[in-house]
Amino acid sequence: MRRRRRRRGGRRAGVSSTRRRMRRRRRRRGGRRAGVSSTGRRMRRRRRGGRGAAARGAGAGALGCGLGGQAGSMERVRWQVVAVAAVGLALALEALPAALRWLRVGRRRRPRHEVLFFPSQVTCTEALLQAAGPGPSAPPAGCQCSLPHGESSLSRLLRALLAARASLELCLFAFSSPQLGRAVQLLHQRGVRVRVITDCDYMALKGSQIGLLRKAGIQVRHDQDLGYMHHKFAIVDKKVLITGSLNWTTQAIQNNRENVLIMEDEDYVQLFLEEFEHIWEEFNPAKYTFFPQKRRSH
């Protein structure tokens, strides 16, 4: 029995040793496999890393291309904006003169066109003749007259004259109205250049204002012809024309059926101004003939 046990023990020991050997072999094989697997893993990781780097490089390249394309499109958009701005600026500069003319015309007041009819209502004109400017003013404090102080054809004519700031040209057949004479002298005192052309016959009549105007230092010229200097017009600042049938006399203002046209028209003003300058030169005192020479007889 002992022998059998020993034999069995030996067999078991042999089996166990055999098993140990087999385990060792398996372990060795497992180690080899583990080494192979670790090496494979490393290779796989390297491959994956290479693929990832390539993918990242490709992504970076694509991103760079995208950014480059985006920068190019932004540059094109920028140049388009600059071109549109330049065209807009050129159009604005081209339209600027027309806009300025439109604004100037829009702000410009309407030309004056006024018609006065006579005989005029009798009103007090002291307020106008003592005022500093052409606008309407209250009656002077010292005026105790009972005349109305409202508007009339005469007061409107006086206001048109007193609006002069630089020049006044008068070409009148008869001039004897005291109110109009005072207005002309007032303008002369303010520094307005006043020139008067009149008829030689009517300037010598009683009540004529021509002598007072000359005494005040106003230039006056008259004709020497047999015909009458029958014009009746005035030019204010070379811009406003005052003309009509009215003689500047008290009789005509208070009793006659007359008319006066007050207008701002460059063409008509220029025509009347040319006529005035022509007569002014023709009536130059240097051309007067006081002692005409007799014709010599052969």
Side-chain angles (χ1 to χ4, degrees):
M1 290 297 290
R2 291 179 179 176
R3 290 180 181 177
R4 290 179 181 176
R5 291 178 179 175
R6 289 177 181 174
R7 290 176 183 175
R8 291 177 181 174
R11 291 177 183 174
R12 290 179 180 174
V15 172
S16 60
S17 60
T18 303
R19 289 180 178 176
R20 290 175 184 172
R21 293 175 184 172
M22 293 296 294
R23 290 176 181 174
R24 290 176 182 173
R25 292 178 180 176
R26 290 176 182 173
R27 288 177 182 175
R28 292 175 181 174
R29 291 177 182 176
R32 293 176 182 174
R33 289 178 182 176
V36 172
S37 63
S38 61
T39 304
R41 290 174 184 174
R42 292 175 185 172
M43 294 298 295
R44 291 175 184 174
R45 289 177 183 175
R46 291 178 181 176
R47 291 175 183 174
R48 290 176 183 176
R51 292 176 183 175
R56 286 193 296 272
L63 181 60
C65 293
L67 291 176
Q70 186 176 2
S73 62
M74 290 296 293
E75 189 69 19
R76 287 193 297 272
V77 170
R78 186 180 305 168
W79 279 109
Q80 291 176 358
V81 171
V82 171
V84 171
V87 172
L89 181 59
L91 292 176
L93 291 176
E94 185 177 357
L96 182 60
L100 292 177
R101 285 194 300 269
W102 180 81
L103 290 175
R104 194 179 299 112
V105 172
R107 292 180 179 179
R108 187 184 304 168
R109 63 181 181 84
R110 296 180 59 184
R112 183 177 182 177
H113 293 87
E114 186 176 3
V115 179
L116 307 179
F117 294 104
F118 294 84
S120 173
Q121 179 186 3
V122 178
T123 58
C124 179
T125 57
E126 290 298 318
L128 289 173
L129 297 175
Q130 294 182 8
S137 58
C143 181
Q144 302 296 331
C145 68
S146 59
L147 296 176
H149 295 87
E151 286 288 326
S152 65
S153 296
L154 177 59
S155 66
R156 291 161 68 183
L157 178 58
L158 285 170
R159 187 170 289 114
L161 284 177
L162 293 171
R165 290 294 177 267
S167 64
L168 175 65
E169 284 79 28
L170 298 176
C171 196
L172 303 169
F173 172 65
F175 190 3
S176 63
S177 169
Q179 294 92 339
L180 294 173
R182 286 179 59 188
V184 174
Q185 292 188 52
L186 181 59
L187 291 174
H188 176 68
Q189 294 171 6
R190 292 177 181 171
V192 176
R193 185 193 181 194
V194 180
R195 294 184 294 170
V196 179
I197 296 176
T198 188
D199 185 78
C200 62
D201 294 332
Y202 277 78
M203 65 178 284
L205 295 180
K206 185 179 179 180
S208 175
Q209 295 291 311
I210 299 301
L212 298 176
L213 297 182
R214 276 183 165 172
K215 187 177 180 180
I218 297 174
Q219 290 180 297
V220 177
R221 292 185 180 182
H222 57 81
D223 63 319
Q224 277 193 321
D225 297 335
L226 296 176
Y228 292 120
M229 203 300 300
H230 210 247
H231 280 312
K232 308 171 187 69
F233 68 86
I235 303 174
V236 178
D237 290 337
K238 297 180 173 55
K239 296 179 180 179
V240 180
L241 173 65
I242 302 174
T243 186
S245 65
L246 179 71
N247 282 312
W248 288 22
T249 64
T250 303
Q251 169 68 26
I253 292 172
Q254 294 184 0
N255 299 302
N256 294 354
R257 295 289 179 180
E258 308 282 359
N259 66 81
V260 170
L261 176 63
I262 303 174
M263 58 190 303
E264 290 184 70
D265 191 296
E266 184 178 354
D267 295 333
Y268 285 106
V269 170
Q270 185 62 31
L271 291 174
F272 276 83
L273 188 59
E274 290 175 359
E275 174 66 9
F276 182 91
E277 296 295 345
H278 172 72
I279 300 174
W280 184 262
E281 183 60 29
E282 183 180 349
F283 291 176
N284 190 337
K287 299 180 180 181
Y288 289 172
T289 303
F290 296 99
F291 303 101
Q293 294 180 358
K294 295 182 180 180
R295 294 183 180 179
R296 294 180 181 179
S297 59
H298 297 283

